[in-house]
Amino acid sequence: MFEASSRRDFLKYAAAGTAGLVAGSAGLNPLLASTAKKAFPKGKAEHCIMIWLGGGSAQMDTWDPKRRGDAKANVAGSYYDPIDTAVPGVQVCEHLKHCAPLMDRFNLLRTVKHDVIDEHAAATNRMHTGRPTAGTIIYPSIGSLISYKRGPVSENAPPYILIGYPNLTRGPGFLGSKAGYVYLTSTESGPESFTRSPDITTARQSRRERMLEQVRAEYRERATGGKTIQDYDATVSAALRLSGPEFMNVFKLDEEKSDLRNRYGSEFGQRLLLSRRLLQSGVRFIEVSHNMNFVNGSGWDTHNSGQLNQHLLVQDLDQGLSALIVDLEAHNMLDKTLIVVASEFGRPASFDSGGGRGHHAEAFTVAMAGGGLQNGKMIGTTDELAMKPLDRSVTVPDMFATMCCALGINPAEELYAAGDRPVPITDQGEPIRELFS
């Protein structure tokens, strides 16, 4: 039996619950309303370039340098010396000497974390989809999410281009082919699927297109309709449009001045130069792989001797990335373009038996630049060896929410998978709000 005070409390809470239910029935439930009306910052970026350092770049050897270590003596620490940057008190690796003076255009998220360290493919999936792999659903990549929500800037360009090798992790998942990517592996020509064979003349191509249009028109007239037919017909139209000269001319890098091409440097730099041209054509999202696997023997997966020449990778990244920032700025495009430099995880400060580094996902750096953000900020600090966050951990969903908000997308909006299953764009990600203030 309740005592008087207990009865009063019970009645008070019961009344509050009833009022909540009544308000809810009228669409006024304060709990639901606060969730539904939660305000997110809305940026003004129009494009995104994601630079992918496949293999796992070492944060203490790039964006978050610490005390100098010694691989031979097995003393944990950075492999290189730090240098000052344009932001007072912020240092980066000595081999990022071209990016250092531009650091006021950057934000460094130094405490990104997830829980996958043993498997490159699973960690890559996490850094592209923001979620663990699941047996019942294939989640879309961040590139597919952004291109699906925003579409291409121009109908004469695809919304999403991958410069690198195709992979399920980069794909549209349950969003379907409409949110997929067009890919190429070399800057010497455009996508192979859009490249006309040398023996097909313009006149011959025109005859083929007229014949195809006749077949399509007859089929549309006979068909009863349906989304599959509509999607296929739309895909054919887009493919014909993109294989035309207006879009394919974007890949003619020799139209750029030689001194600009030289500033961008290697094939990776040419990919970034091409990315600027692709953005100008109307592409919304581009992922650029830094495929330099043979320069140091291992790429960014610097186990064993791959660590010895890691500086060649850092220098290559530095040259291309700094050239891109300056070039975008010269074209008044930097504030409209969010640049994200990411990897599947970081590396530990200690060295393995071969003088290299293992895997580490508890704290690593993702660099952002441009995008109309409040740049020049460092988000989170790590301990003396860049191994653990001392404050402000950033989850992958938080990073995705920040990217989405920068491009004017609500990160809590729900999309629908097969069977009308609601799936939020990010897995409860919270944007880094001070980047928008």
Side-chain angles (χ1 to χ4, degrees), residues 147-167:
S147 60
Y148 178 82
K149 285 300 300 175
R150 295 295 309 271
V153 180
S154 165
E155 66 174 9
N156 294 316
Y160 177 12
I161 284 189
L162 170 66
I163 307 181
Y165 293 103
N167 187 286

Side-chain angles (χ1 to χ4, degrees), residues 54 306 430:
E430 278 292 323

Side-chain angles (χ1 to χ4, degrees), residues 48-87:
C48 182
I49 298 175
M50 183 172 178
I51 298 172
W52 183 249
L53 312 182
S57 59
Q59 68 277 10
M60 74 289 300
D61 293 335
T62 51
W63 306 108
D64 194 9
K66 300 296 181 178
R67 68 172 187 242
R68 186 71 181 260
D70 188 330
K72 292 182 179 179
N74 200 21
V75 176
S78 294
Y79 202 71
Y80 309 113
D81 290 328
I83 56 173
D84 293 332
T85 71
V87 179

Side-chain angles (χ1 to χ4, degrees), residues 155-212:
E155 66 174 9
N156 294 316
Y160 177 12
I161 284 189
L162 170 66
I163 307 181
Y165 293 103
N167 187 286
L168 181 65
T169 289
R170 277 78 166 171
F174 66 75
L175 293 176
S177 59
K178 184 179 179 181
Y181 54 75
V182 172
Y183 81 93
L184 59 144
T185 58
S186 171
T187 57
E188 294 182 359
S189 63
E192 291 185 8
S193 56
F194 295 158
T195 304
R196 185 193 305 171
S197 174
D199 61 342
I200 304 297
T201 64
T202 300
R204 189 176 178 186
Q205 179 70 16
S206 297
R207 288 197 302 271
R208 288 184 171 191
E209 291 182 10
R210 287 196 299 271
M211 182 180 297
L212 178 60

